Amino acid sequence: MIEINSVNNPTIKSLRKLEQKKYRKKTQTYLVEGFHLVEEALKSHENYLYVLGTAEALKKLDASYKLKDDKVIQITDAIAQHLSSTKNSQDIFMVLPINQPKSFSFEYGKWVVLDNLTDPGNVGTIIRTADAAGFDGVVLSEESVDLYNPKVQRSMQGSQFHIQIIQNPILEAISSFKENGLPVYVSILDKTAKSLNNCAPVPQLALVIGNEAHGASKEIIETADKKIYIPIKGKAESLNAAVAAGIMIYHFS
């Protein structure tokens, strides 16, 4: 086991930079924080690079999971606070490799497609909901918030270890879905579309959720097999993107 006692240690300095997308991209690694996320990664047999924690936190984790000594770094309370992206650190972290596939074939199943969603909380919540509803995976457009953003990680609550998630050119993904016979449904704020209440469940589909402010892009709306909307019964103009996605995901689950 390695012990690090200074926030000025080069390893700690490098890990601190992983809050920034450009460093995650450069190193092809990311950091998760907290017992729940670290345990979910271990349960899913993720190929982690390091587990970092205070002596007490590591002892607690090792009681349930036999950690590999050469992949354990013991840190001080001060370092844990330095690395934490939350107010109340749980003093446990994991460094994981970014394993995005270079190519992907969307041949079957039920998928959620996120078209330029920029709010980390919305993205993480939608992924978690898709996981809970038994969907096969989620596609994020390249313009959407980074999957490895710490706020997205916290919102997913470990669902990233349960279902397939890929950040991919969205039109390429849509084309692949259609080529493989998966109907593409897109949610739009337009009553000329078909009400969700009148949409029968289907065995497989790609469900597109558009940007929080501007909705789905014109290209995707034009290529979709079906345009749908959620009826608004009260006076609110629209629903939050994650709430709307949750309603539709469970309707089609």
Side-chain angles (χ1 to χ4, degrees), residues 12 41 47 67 90 99 103 105 114 134 205 242 245:
I12 301 304
N47 185 27
L67 303 174
Q90 294 183 26
N99 289 320
S103 61
S105 180
L114 305 184
L205 85 162

Side-chain angles (χ1 to χ4, degrees), residues 41-188:
L42 290 169
K43 288 175 187 176
S44 302
H45 307 292
E46 288 292 315
N47 185 27
Y48 65 93
L49 301 178
Y50 294 104
V51 172
L52 300 91
T54 60
E56 184 177 345
L58 290 172
K59 182 179 179 181
K60 179 180 177 181
L61 187 67
D62 197 48
S64 300
Y65 305 92
K66 294 301 179 183
L67 303 174
K68 301 174 183 177
D69 282 346
D70 61 335
K71 292 189 174 185
V72 175
I73 300 176
Q74 183 175 306
I75 57 176
T76 64
D77 291 343
I79 293 174
Q81 288 296 326
H82 183 67
L83 289 176
S84 179
S85 59
T86 65
K87 289 184 178 179
N88 299 309
S89 173
Q90 294 183 26
D91 300 335
I92 197 77
F93 307 85
M94 178 178 277
V95 184
L96 290 157
I98 291 175
N99 289 320
Q100 281 286 306
K102 293 181 179 179
S103 61
F104 209 88
S105 180
F106 306 102
E107 295 179 352
Y108 64 92
K110 294 182 178 180
W111 293 77
V112 179
V113 182
L114 305 184
D115 181 16
N116 193 21
L117 266 73
T118 58
D119 183 273
N122 281 341
V123 170
T125 299
I126 292 170
I127 291 171
R128 186 178 176 186
T129 305
D131 175 22
F135 269 52
D136 295 280
V138 178
V139 182
L140 285 78
S141 68
E142 292 183 314
E143 297 77 22
S144 291
V145 66
D146 183 29
L147 173 63
Y148 303 98
N149 177 297
K151 290 181 180 178
V152 176
Q153 293 291 319
R154 289 198 297 273
S155 295
M156 286 191 289
Q157 284 293 299
S159 287
Q160 65 268 43
F161 305 123
H162 306 156
I163 61 174
Q164 300 177 78
I165 309 172
I166 181 171
Q167 200 138 17
N168 194 80
I170 192 166
L171 291 176
E172 181 183 297
I174 294 294
S175 177
S176 183
F177 283 129
K178 293 176 75 70
E179 286 173 4
N180 286 287
L182 275 74
V184 176
Y185 288 23
V186 61
S187 172
I188 62 173

